Amino acid sequence: MAGPAGPELLLSLFLPALGAMTKVFLICIVGFLGSKYPRASPVLNGVALQSLSKLLTNIIFPASIVFGLGSHCSVDMLAQLWPVLVWSLFHTGLSFLILQPLFKLLHLPPRLSLTLVTA
């Protein structure tokens, strides 16, 4: 029996990734509320919030996406979607190459360009 093809194939991979991103977004909302409320003494201070933010963006977010996609992805799907993978790598690399000189010209921190490219 053949698997999904065309747009159905992309949608079958997009929905699990969207579910993983939604979970991380909800965690971000909880962290934001913890840093703002109660107003007199927030639950999370600046140092804790920065550490949690790094943990979330560098480890939990990518891991949840890989986990969500891994359970729905197969070698056959990857064989059908190789143009999408190549295009995404090309697009990310090209964006990075365009942003680097622009950020140097505007004297912006280079780490911000990496953040914008990966977003």
Side-chain angles (χ1 to χ4, degrees):
M1 183 167 125
E8 295 85 17
L9 180 62
L10 286 174
L11 190 62
S12 70
L13 291 176
F14 177 73
L15 291 178
L18 183 64
M21 289 186 282
T22 302
K23 291 175 189 174
V24 173
F25 181 70
L26 292 173
I27 293 171
C28 289
I29 289 175
V30 171
F32 173 77
L33 293 175
S35 69
K36 300 292 181 189
Y37 299 103
R39 292 208 184 260
S41 175
V43 175
L44 297 173
N45 62 16
V47 175
L49 192 60
Q50 188 176 18
S51 297
L52 286 174
S53 176
K54 285 182 182 178
L55 174 72
L56 188 67
T57 57
N58 294 332
I59 297 174
I60 295 176
F61 186 57
S64 66
I65 290 175
V66 169
F67 179 76
L69 288 177
S71 62
H72 292 85
C73 192
S74 67
V75 176
D76 293 333
M77 280 184 168
L78 291 177
Q80 291 177 355
L81 288 175
W82 71 266
V84 174
L85 180 61
V86 170
W87 171 251
S88 64
L89 293 173
F90 173 75
H91 183 268
T92 302
L94 183 64
S95 300
F96 187 74
L97 290 174
I98 291 172
L99 282 177
Q100 284 302 317
L102 183 64
F103 272 61
K104 286 182 182 178
L105 180 69
L106 298 175
H107 304 290
L108 296 172
R111 185 166 176 114
L112 181 61
S113 70
L114 184 61
T115 304
L116 288 174
V117 167
T118 56

